Amino acid sequence: MRSNSAERAHIIAGEKSATGNKVRLWVQDEWRNFDVYRVPVEGLLLNVDNRRFRAERMWAEEHLGRPLDPENNPTDELSIESLLLDTSHRVEGDQVVGKPTGSSESLKNDWLRRKQESPLWIRPDGTVRNGNRRLSMIKRLQREGGATGLARVDAIILPLSEINEATLLEMEQREQLTENFKVRYNDIDYLLALREAAENREVEWFDRDSVEAVAGALQTMVEKSKGEVLRDLYAVKYMDIFLEDSGQVGEYHRVLKTLERFRDIGRMMLQIEGQYPLEEEKILQTLFAAVRSGKSHLDIRDMRTMFKQDKRRFDRLSETVAEAESGWELSAGPSLSNPGSSTPRNREASDDDIEEDSDEEGPGPEVVDYPTNQVASAIDLAIDGFAASQDDVVQVLHEVCNRLEVLGERARLGAALAGDEGAEVRKSLKQIVEWADCNRHLTATED
């Protein structure tokens, strides 16, 4: 029988014992000291609203077909443990399972060697507000090897009468939104926490001065420069616009592991806003097309360089993408598919992967009926053409000869002409022949 909120509060109040220690925390622009208690683990509850795995929780709840409820469902507590400690998540039956990450193994080994370093933060009813990963690790250790030495933990108790939700939120953000804490947020979860902090400061997302002011206010909280925070705020801004454009507002689990893509989109749009007011929409849709077609942040970075150095080529790419998307927009509309896994889909996770950082870039969202190959090919060709334009003529000619040599076998070219893409092959072949005819005079030797 699982305990409810009142029963857990009774356990905590009746069995807590003072350690005599205090912990110093920054609260509402001042330092405050909080008493540290030893409390029973059985009176603690994992926080389902933990910001560390918000997008992953959305993913899990969609696949389970119901909200996670650890207070009333023991299986859901196991699922939350997995979301906090594991990678390569999948749903088996009515539970989320995965493989332990390297960081969770390090957390366990560090606890077993050095014991508890800092207290958990809990509400009087035992809900853990900071320290959910450690509690998950403890509960897993209890099941694996018994409760010896793990039955009680240090905690500070934060009553609502002393620390309201708004204050606690800011305390959590300051504690958790830093680059130097042991396990960083997954990409989207970090952005969502940053977004929440900005919203609390009443940011105006379409007023650059407002976003810059909020970035300045948040930089000490997240221990980054103002420029880095501004970049990340623009990343979440355009992630929100992308989801709205896709008809799935707030469904962040559909764009897991895309932080670097949206960071580069944010960087580019920082430069575009105000300078090209009549072209912003076209430029943004071209960048969104890169995300939809599975291109990486490095491709988006190349597109950004192309825009700065060869805008005519970028404009031609935008026109090609718009043409490719036209039928999709009319028939299917923007719609992201149900994500099949909370980990990258481009490869299966192996035992060697547990040391990988959990926010590794994934392949991007899957988009229903999207002309992925056509758009991806257009982007690849534009990037390749731009790169070739930066090379010297001799290098480009060598590359052309190498590629034409690949097509030298008549059977291969003939098969392509007879295939489904024969018209496109014939069109390109005609362009090559016309180019050769036009430049044939350049091969004549001088007298």
Side-chain angles (χ1 to χ4, degrees), residues 107-295:
L107 178 66
K108 178 181 73 174
N109 294 334
D110 182 68
W111 184 286
L112 293 175
R113 183 172 63 90
R114 298 194 305 133
K115 308 307 178 187
Q116 186 172 0
E117 179 180 358
S118 59
L120 311 183
W121 301 0
I122 68 173
R123 284 301 196 185
D125 69 351
T127 301
V128 176
R129 298 301 296 265
N130 188 41
N132 281 276
R133 290 190 76 253
R134 286 175 287 163
L135 178 61
S136 295
M137 178 270 298
I138 290 168
K139 287 178 175 287
R140 183 172 285 184
L141 279 173
Q142 287 178 333
R143 290 194 303 275
E144 292 174 351
T148 305
L150 299 171
R152 299 173 74 84
V153 293
D154 289 350
I156 60 173
I157 303 172
L158 305 173
L160 189 61
S161 59
E162 297 181 18
I163 304 292
N164 63 27
E165 280 300 301
T167 300
L168 182 53
L169 169 62
E170 184 159 336
M171 291 170 64
E172 289 174 342
Q173 289 169 337
R174 180 173 295 278
E175 183 73 10
Q176 297 176 349
L177 272 180
T178 60
E179 285 292 340
N180 63 355
F181 60 83
K182 291 184 178 178
V183 178
R184 292 189 291 137
Y185 280 74
N186 284 330
D187 52 10
I188 297 175
D189 299 312
Y190 160 75
L191 287 186
L192 294 184
L194 191 66
R195 180 184 187 278
E196 193 169 11
E199 293 279 355
N200 288 342
R201 286 160 178 77
E202 300 182 344
V203 65
E204 294 289 341
W205 290 106
F206 293 94
D207 180 340
R208 180 163 179 164
D209 290 339
S210 174
V211 180
E212 288 191 352
V214 169
L218 292 176
Q219 68 180 99
T220 56
M221 175 184 291
V222 301
E223 297 184 5
K224 291 185 177 185
S225 69
K226 179 180 176 180
E228 289 174 314
V229 179
L230 181 63
R231 172 204 63 192
D232 290 341
L233 288 174
Y234 263 72
V236 74
K237 169 184 174 177
Y238 284 100
M239 185 179 291
D240 276 338
I241 294 173
F242 177 80
L243 287 171
E244 181 179 359
D245 191 60
S246 301
Q248 289 164 305
V249 175
E251 298 188 28
Y252 298 101
H253 59 299
R254 300 186 185 278
V255 285
L256 284 163
K257 302 186 182 296
T258 58
L259 173 58
E260 290 305 321
R261 289 176 175 89
F262 285 100
R263 271 180 171 161
D264 278 299
I265 289 174
R267 286 187 184 102
M268 184 163 174
M269 296 309 295
L270 264 168
Q271 298 175 341
I272 298 302
E273 288 182 3
Q275 296 185 33
Y276 300 89
L278 300 180
E279 299 182 69
E280 281 187 24
E281 180 65 21
K282 178 188 72 175
I283 294 167
L284 184 58
Q285 288 304 317
T286 305
L287 297 175
F288 283 173
V291 176
R292 290 185 171 110
S293 61
K295 307 311 294 179

Side-chain angles (χ1 to χ4, degrees), residues 327-447:
W328 163 72
E329 291 175 343
L330 290 172
S331 61
S335 178
L336 307 183
S337 67
N338 180 9
S341 171
S342 67
T343 56
R345 294 183 296 275
N346 57 345
R347 61 178 173 82
E348 292 294 326
S350 66
D351 291 339
D352 294 335
D353 292 330
I354 62 173
E355 298 299 331
E356 296 276 350
D357 193 346
S358 62
D359 61 359
E360 175 189 359
E361 185 176 45
E366 295 177 353
V367 187
V368 175
D369 294 331
Y370 190 72
T372 300
N373 293 336
Q374 193 174 351
V375 171
S377 177
I379 292 173
D380 287 340
L381 287 172
I383 291 174
D384 182 68
F386 171 68
S389 72
Q390 309 301 301
D391 293 334
D392 61 62
V393 173
V394 174
Q395 177 67 25
V396 173
L397 286 172
H398 282 319
E399 291 173 356
V400 170
C401 289
N402 283 336
R403 297 190 182 196
L404 289 175
E405 186 179 352
V406 173
L407 300 175
E409 300 178 10
R410 293 179 61 86
R412 182 176 185 185
L413 193 55
L417 284 165
D420 294 338
E421 297 181 341
E424 190 66 28
V425 173
R426 186 169 287 101
K427 177 182 176 182
S428 296
L429 188 58
K430 184 179 179 181
Q431 288 177 326
I432 292 172
V433 172
E434 289 176 349
W435 183 91
D437 288 341
C438 183
N439 293 277
R440 189 182 302 277
H441 67 283
L442 297 175
T443 64
T445 58
E446 296 182 357
D447 293 335

